[in-house]
Amino acid sequence: MRAQLRFSRRCDDAQSSLGSGGIRFLSVGSGDRLSTRLRKTPEYSGMQRPGMKLVNGVPMLDFLADKWSCVEQLQARSDDLVIATYPKAGTTWMQEIVDLVINATDLAHNRRATIDDRMIFMEWSCGPGEPPELRSGVELLDEFPSPRVIKTHVPYKLFPSSFWAKDCKVIYVARNAKDNAVSYFHFDRMNRQQPEPGSWEEYLPRFVAGSVPWGSWYDHVTGWWNARENHRILYFFYEDMKENPLREVSRVADFIERPLSERQLQEVVRLSSFSVMKNNPMSNYSHLPPALMDQTVSPFMRKGEVGDWKNHFSASQLEEFEQDYSKKMPADGPSFRDTLP
């Protein structure tokens, strides 16, 4: 998914949150970039895509599954903030929003490093096309200064229990299944650290069956939905974020106890808009070489729309999908919209 960068991190300065009990965040500088070295290493252009292995019944990229015990043993800290999503459900968008809220829309500070430097991908490890000395997300997080903002795609049932023991806050983003499937398909086309997706006709049944990395969309969105009853989890819908971004950004600021003025909230909305992020090299993953992510096949930030599934589903695919959906989605589960007015 991304190249974890092997470097020593330093704390540039501290940004204290406002409000009683709020989260205090440290900004982190970056060092030597692995992505720069990869661009100069031609042998990675011929790498093979990974396979999958099961982790407690959940399909996972094989090179992540091989080191899963390290993820299970990760020690949380009480001031950790986690951003959890199913892949391609608005992860980078929420990461950018959170970083902007934390830093009170300080644009220079927000663009101090690429998004994958600012927030470590918890379960990531050395994947295809990456040097064997590459350090895993767990290793980087062990050395990362507190408080940490952590990215993960892990389903609730695989999430390390230490985070609940420390009563950590989690922001979860869910996206309607049809658009999520389309976005994941195009992501897999361009990302050589994911299994080969094949054609859309081949991919869709695998998505429906949950035979893709990080497993079933249904299990993922309902697992985290149900967990809200017992943990500090704020649940977002991608469609709500598109419909009223100011309202949803305000929810983020309230949750992490980082109050912003109306002008600052509006600026977060602007700087985290699709058009701005698509052209921001700190958030569009253009720093990764084509050997890992070939954005000539499909851009990392492709459309960012609600309802693009209509351009992909045939009538028969839609009928089968909705029949399956009605069987798998529980009545008391999250309610999604796949179009907006």
Side-chain angles (χ1 to χ4, degrees), residues 96-113:
E96 193 77 350
I97 289 171
V98 167
D99 197 55
L100 286 163
V101 169
I102 288 169
N103 294 295
T105 70
D106 182 339
L107 183 58
H109 195 71
N110 172 253
R111 297 189 176 181
R112 67 196 179 276

Side-chain angles (χ1 to χ4, degrees), residues 86-90 93 172-184 200 204 207 217-218 221 235-242 304-310 313 318 321-322 325 329 334-340:
Y86 191 75
K88 303 308 296 178
W93 189 12
Y172 186 82
V173 185
R175 188 177 191 179
N176 80 80
K178 296 170 192 170
D179 280 327
N180 209 150
V182 168
S183 186
Y184 205 175
W200 169 245
L204 183 58
F207 179 90
W217 175 89
Y218 297 95
V221 300
Y235 204 100
F236 286 82
F237 293 95
Y238 185 97
E239 296 73 29
D240 291 348
M241 293 168 65
K242 293 294 294 186
E305 297 176 354
V306 177
D308 184 48
W309 61 268
K310 296 178 182 179
F313 279 73
L318 180 59
F321 190 94
E322 292 188 337
Y325 190 97
M329 182 56 71
S335 179
F336 289 89
R337 295 178 293 166
D338 55 27
T339 59
L340 290 179

Side-chain angles (χ1 to χ4, degrees), residues 24-40:
R24 175 177 167 270
F25 291 92
L26 297 177
S27 61
V28 179
S30 61
D32 178 39
R33 299 211 169 282
L34 173 65
S35 55
T36 301
R37 284 181 276 145
L38 281 173
R39 289 193 190 98
K40 300 176 181 178

Side-chain angles (χ1 to χ4, degrees), residues 200-218:
W200 169 245
E201 289 73 21
E202 295 169 324
Y203 179 82
L204 183 58
R206 293 200 298 271
F207 179 90
V208 169
S211 298
V212 292
W214 287 275
S216 164
W217 175 89
Y218 297 95

Side-chain angles (χ1 to χ4, degrees), residues 35-105:
S35 55
T36 301
R37 284 181 276 145
L38 281 173
R39 289 193 190 98
K40 300 176 181 178
T41 312
E43 59 265 30
Y44 291 117
S45 62
M47 69 187 194
Q48 293 191 353
R49 288 175 177 259
M52 292 189 294
K53 293 181 179 179
L54 292 179
V55 176
N56 295 331
V58 177
M60 199 64 62
L61 296 168
D62 52 14
F63 59 91
L64 302 187
D66 289 340
K67 299 181 180 180
W68 201 257
S69 61
C70 297
V71 177
E72 292 176 324
Q73 296 166 16
L74 175 64
Q75 293 303 301
R77 303 171 192 168
S78 58
D79 52 5
D80 284 340
L81 174 65
V82 179
I83 298 173
T85 70
Y86 191 75
K88 303 308 296 178
T91 319
T92 307
W93 189 12
M94 181 56 77
Q95 286 178 273
E96 193 77 350
I97 289 171
V98 167
D99 197 55
L100 286 163
V101 169
I102 288 169
N103 294 295
T105 70

Side-chain angles (χ1 to χ4, degrees), residues 148-277:
R148 307 174 296 188
V149 183
I150 302 170
K151 164 190 167 180
T152 186
H153 293 317
V154 170
Y156 173 73
K157 77 173 192 175
L158 295 184
F159 195 59
S161 60
S162 66
F163 286 94
W164 306 134
K166 294 293 185 179
D167 195 29
C168 296
K169 289 184 176 182
V170 177
I171 292 175
Y172 186 82
V173 185
R175 188 177 191 179
N176 80 80
K178 296 170 192 170
D179 280 327
N180 209 150
V182 168
S183 186
Y184 205 175
F185 166 67
H186 287 292
F187 180 67
D188 283 1
R189 291 175 57 229
M190 60 82 78
N191 186 355
R192 293 188 59 81
Q193 294 183 308
Q194 292 277 116
E196 172 60 53
S199 67
W200 169 245
E201 289 73 21
E202 295 169 324
Y203 179 82
L204 183 58
R206 293 200 298 271
F207 179 90
V208 169
S211 298
V212 292
W214 287 275
S216 164
W217 175 89
Y218 297 95
D219 292 345
H220 211 288
V221 300
T222 57
W224 283 99
W225 176 261
N226 294 333
R228 298 170 307 130
E229 301 299 323
N230 301 311
H231 305 293
R232 294 198 294 172
I233 299 170
L234 188 63
Y235 204 100
F236 286 82
F237 293 95
Y238 185 97
E239 296 73 29
D240 291 348
M241 293 168 65
K242 293 294 294 186
E243 182 180 58
N244 192 334
L246 182 62
R247 178 191 63 208
E248 301 306 291
V249 167
S250 297
R251 292 179 67 209
V252 171
D254 290 345
F255 185 63
I256 64 175
E257 299 177 62
R258 183 74 174 180
L260 299 179
S261 67
E262 184 72 15
R263 182 194 63 79
Q264 288 174 318
L265 291 171
Q266 292 283 5
E267 187 68 356
V268 172
V269 171
R270 185 184 73 82
L271 292 173
S272 63
S273 66
F274 185 84
S275 60
V276 171
M277 288 184 63

